[in-house]
Amino acid sequence: MSTTETAVLRSGIERPTERPPRLRELRADFGGRYLGAGATGVLFSATGPVAVIMGAASAGSLSATQTASWIFGVFVLNGLLTIVASWVYRMPLAFFWTIPGTVLVGQALPSLTWPEVVGAYIVTGVLIGVLGATGLVARIMAVLPHRVVMAMVAGAFLSFGTDLIRSVSADVAVAGTMVVAWVFVTRSDRLGPRVPAVLVALVAGLLALVVTGGFVELGASESALPLLGLPELTAPQFGWGASAQLVIPLAITVIAVQNGQGAAVLSAAGHRPPITAVTVLCGVWSVLAAPFGALSTCLAGPTNALITAVGERQRQYISGMTCGFLAVVVGIGAPLLVRGLESVPSAFISALAGLAMLEALRNAFVAAFGQSARESPPCRSPLGPLVTLLVTISGVHAAGLGAPFWGLVAGVAITWLMDRPHRNQDR
């Protein structure tokens, strides 16, 4: 049995089949490629997704201190969880926060108070934990066609690619320089395996900003933030209005969208993620992180795609642990991160996030529309993944739920209808 396989306890929660690696094994498995992959995963999370948080915080008129506390929680607490889970299960398990959920919170904040939102986070965490502990989540994930899930992943990731193109058009001096640097390192037989291309693009972009004078002047509240800081805890308030508006949509984005993406990309990389254990951990950690203002914890699809893009499968847990450690460092410097992101133009962030996601986007399209002999349950008709992709990129919202969820629903329905004759023939 491989190191990524898991056994199931009577409670339904998967347990590792092998002991966690000892210090000697950690040293032997460590390598520059895995350090670079972990750093790239954190770098992605600290740019585009954090920009989404800052947009939501701005919509809710949160203070710079509250925003920094939110970022502290999603990085420090989830970073600690990532370190422990990756070590215990000997596979990369990167936990961060739900990006679609951030958008939902940004839409709800103008009509809710911040303590009410924190209370909704806690209720959401309890609901996610209960669904995981009952084993219902694992049964749902087992019947979702892999190609349909990966088509949803491809559709959700596609905007990073299109935003990359727009960033070059908007600021060719900065974004264009980043693309050229990324291509140069990627094509180099010497540098490519040793140096993360995204990190080189980051440095090239910063140098271009210095030359062009493209840095943005900080506002008074961001300038007053210290370099390092402690989080500001918020006492929750529980109300039916906030719960009705946020709890069910947030739980769905964590379980069906984010965890579904994370499990899909890990499975595509040859791992067998412990779905039930992951769901329970997301629920428990969401409750613990809520007083910091941190959004619900989830198994991050884009980040896991980045940290599994390189290296040997048996050693990729090192990338996960590195990602978690660096996330803690980033979270401690949350005020500095807020100041840094406010000082660079949006084209810089879009270009950096897009370059980081290119390989993950390609892998998602290959898994969704290529032929796979290991798919279970099977998806014989290509129409299901295609419909999933189209609905996901449409941006449609209904009943408080975003396009990735409805893309998954539409794809599963089309697959069931189109594959029904084949199921009858098999019987």
Side-chain angles (χ1 to χ4, degrees), residues 137 140-156 251-264 368 375 377 379 383-396 401-417:
V137 170
I140 293 174
M141 296 300 295
V143 301
L144 291 178
H146 179 69
R147 290 174 61 191
V148 169
V149 175
M150 290 309 297
M152 182 265 289
V153 173
I252 290 176
T253 63
V254 169
I255 294 171
V257 180
Q258 297 291 146
N259 286 4
Q261 290 180 8
E375 185 183 11
C379 176
L383 191 59
L386 178 60
V387 169
T388 300
L389 175 69
L390 294 176
V391 174
T392 302
I393 65 177
S394 71
V396 64
L401 302 175
F405 172 78
W406 293 115
L408 193 62
V409 170
V412 170
I414 292 296
T415 299
W416 185 84
L417 290 173

Side-chain angles (χ1 to χ4, degrees), residues 161-380:
T162 56
D163 287 345
L164 169 62
I165 305 302
R166 294 191 185 98
S167 69
V168 175
S169 174
D171 193 342
V172 67
V174 174
T177 300
M178 297 170 70
V179 171
V180 170
W182 184 89
V183 171
F184 174 78
V185 174
T186 303
R187 288 195 60 193
S188 173
D189 294 333
R190 278 176 117 185
L191 297 177
R194 297 178 178 86
V195 181
V198 175
L199 293 181
V200 176
L202 168 66
V203 174
L206 291 176
L207 291 175
L209 286 173
V210 171
V211 172
T212 61
F215 287 101
V216 179
E217 186 176 351
L218 293 176
S221 59
E222 288 80 13
S223 300
L225 284 172
L227 297 182
L228 302 175
L230 296 176
E232 180 180 271
L233 299 181
T234 300
Q237 291 182 3
F238 301 96
W240 287 111
S243 295
Q245 191 170 352
L246 287 177
V247 170
I248 298 299
L250 282 179
I252 290 176
T253 63
V254 169
I255 294 171
V257 180
Q258 297 291 146
N259 286 4
Q261 290 180 8
V265 297
L266 288 172
S267 298
H271 299 282
R272 295 183 61 185
I275 298 299
T276 300
V278 163
T279 307
V280 172
L281 287 172
C282 288
V284 172
W285 229 249
S286 296
V287 174
L288 295 177
F292 295 87
L295 193 64
S296 305
T297 296
C298 68
L299 188 66
T303 305
N304 280 294
L306 291 170
I307 64 178
T308 57
V310 298
E312 303 170 25
R313 176 170 56 85
Q314 298 87 341
R315 298 171 63 187
Q316 287 175 343
Y317 74 92
I318 294 292
S319 300
M321 294 182 66
T322 302
C323 178
F325 174 78
L326 294 176
V328 173
V329 175
V330 169
I332 292 174
L336 180 61
L337 178 60
V338 171
R339 294 173 64 178
L341 289 177
E342 286 288 351
S343 68
V344 297
S346 59
F348 175 89
I349 295 176
S350 296
L352 193 63
L355 291 171
M357 287 302 299
L358 279 182
E359 182 65 19
L361 180 61
R362 185 192 71 84
N363 291 339
F365 269 100
V366 169
F369 297 102
Q371 298 298 324
S372 175
R374 14 186 329 265
E375 185 183 11
S376 178
C379 176
R380 295 180 176 90

